Amino acid sequence: QLQLQASGPGLVNPSETLSLICSVSGGSISSTNYYWGWIRQPPGKGLEWIGSMYYSGSTYYKPSLKSRVTIFIDTSKNQFSLRLSSVTAADSAVYYCGRHSRLKDAFDIWGQGTMVTVSS
Amino acid sequence: DIQMTQSPSALSASVGDRVTITCRASQSISNWLAWYQQKPGKAPKLLMYEASRLESGVPSRFSGSGSGTEFTLTISSLQPDDFATYYCHHYDTYSWTFGQGTKVEIK
């Protein structure tokens, strides 16, 4: 059974760059059937899609975050990563990584989420 | 961009009740809609995809319907494990959009 595990610093200083890794186990990230994405959820609020990528390296970002977001993949390590620059308190959230099935057009597997707080 | 709007934002119901949640798209999305369940402190879980297809392992008391711009998620007989927040979600050509969520609380 494929599993996703998000990891990274739980505290980031304002104006700095948030960096998270999603490790994929139990299956290959190099599959034509899936996109790999990041979704976040501020405390007490709803889900917000940040961006997704295909194993080939193609990336897709939420327009309002595009100038600050980079998602990249390391197929040799079977993981993908998120970088969000110039963070503010508004970027404090639980960050989830997820697998989007192209067959179902839905995120069918999610990582457990990791809380990131932006504060000095 | 397509906007997804859920209603109600919250509802109170009792065990055994029939519960219906609505999701409306700002333009037609055919049947490309998914539903997720999220419990506090947990990641969302896929319930339905393509509007009416039940994800493997999801109880049959959950059902989905709709096409175009209006969709519903129905729980035929609410169980204690079903108290959670539910989100609709649409994917379209490299853009992923979630509804704002519907919290189902115990009456």
Side-chain angles (χ1 to χ4, degrees):
Chain A
Q1 175 75 2
L2 187 133
Q3 292 185 321
L4 305 178
Q5 175 88 23
S7 61
L11 183 64
V12 181
N13 290 320
S15 80
E16 295 190 346
T17 296
L18 177 161
S19 297
L20 297 174
I21 294 172
C22 184
S23 300
V24 180
S25 60
S28 175
I29 203 170
S30 301
S31 170
T32 59
N33 295 324
Y34 306 105
Y35 296 106
W36 305 91
W38 289 95
I39 305 99
R40 69 181 181 180
Q41 185 172 37
K45 296 189 178 181
L47 301 169
E48 178 185 27
W49 171 70
I50 300 169
S52 297
M53 74 177 305
Y54 196 50
Y55 81 99
S56 62
S58 299
T59 52
Y60 316 99
Y61 301 133
K62 182 173 181 175
S64 61
L65 297 173
K66 188 174 183 178
S67 64
R68 298 195 292 130
V69 174
T70 305
I71 295 175
F72 55 97
I73 200 165
D74 188 336
T75 54
S76 67
K77 294 182 179 179
N78 219 36
Q79 64 186 32
F80 60 105
S81 300
L82 168 71
R83 287 187 182 158
L84 181 65
S85 64
S86 305
V87 297
T88 69
D91 295 310
S92 296
V94 176
Y95 284 76
Y96 295 102
C97 54
R99 184 183 82 170
H100 172 102
S101 165
R102 297 181 66 196
L103 176 65
K104 301 174 183 176
D105 269 344
F107 284 104
D108 63 346
I109 297 179
W110 295 66
Q112 86 288 2
T114 185
M115 179 67 204
V116 179
T117 301
V118 179
S119 175
S120 56
Chain B
D1 289 356
I2 296 173
Q3 307 300 317
M4 309 301 295
T5 303
Q6 289 182 234
S7 61
S9 55
L11 64 90
S12 297
S14 300
V15 172
D17 283 354
R18 181 181 182 89
V19 169
T20 298
I21 299 168
T22 298
C23 180
R24 290 186 173 86
S26 58
Q27 63 190 73
S28 178
I29 60 171
S30 184
N31 67 336
W32 300 113
L33 187 91
W35 290 97
Y36 302 86
Q37 175 193 66
Q38 186 182 34
K39 297 180 180 179
K42 299 294 186 182
K45 171 189 172 184
L46 178 64
L47 296 177
M48 314 284 309
Y49 61 96
E50 286 182 30
S52 61
R53 293 185 179 271
L54 198 66
E55 174 71 343
S56 177
V58 174
S60 58
R61 62 181 180 272
F62 290 93
S63 63
S65 64
S67 66
T69 61
E70 187 156 333
F71 302 85
T72 58
L73 174 70
T74 299
I75 309 172
S76 61
S77 178
L78 196 66
Q79 297 302 302
D81 192 47
D82 302 336
F83 291 96
T85 301
Y86 295 84
Y87 293 91
C88 63
H89 166 235
H90 169 64
Y91 164 73
D92 178 47
T93 316
Y94 314 130
S95 179
W96 287 253
T97 306
F98 291 93
Q100 80 276 20
T102 296
K103 187 174 184 178
V104 177
E105 299 174 302
I106 301 173
K107 193 178 227 179

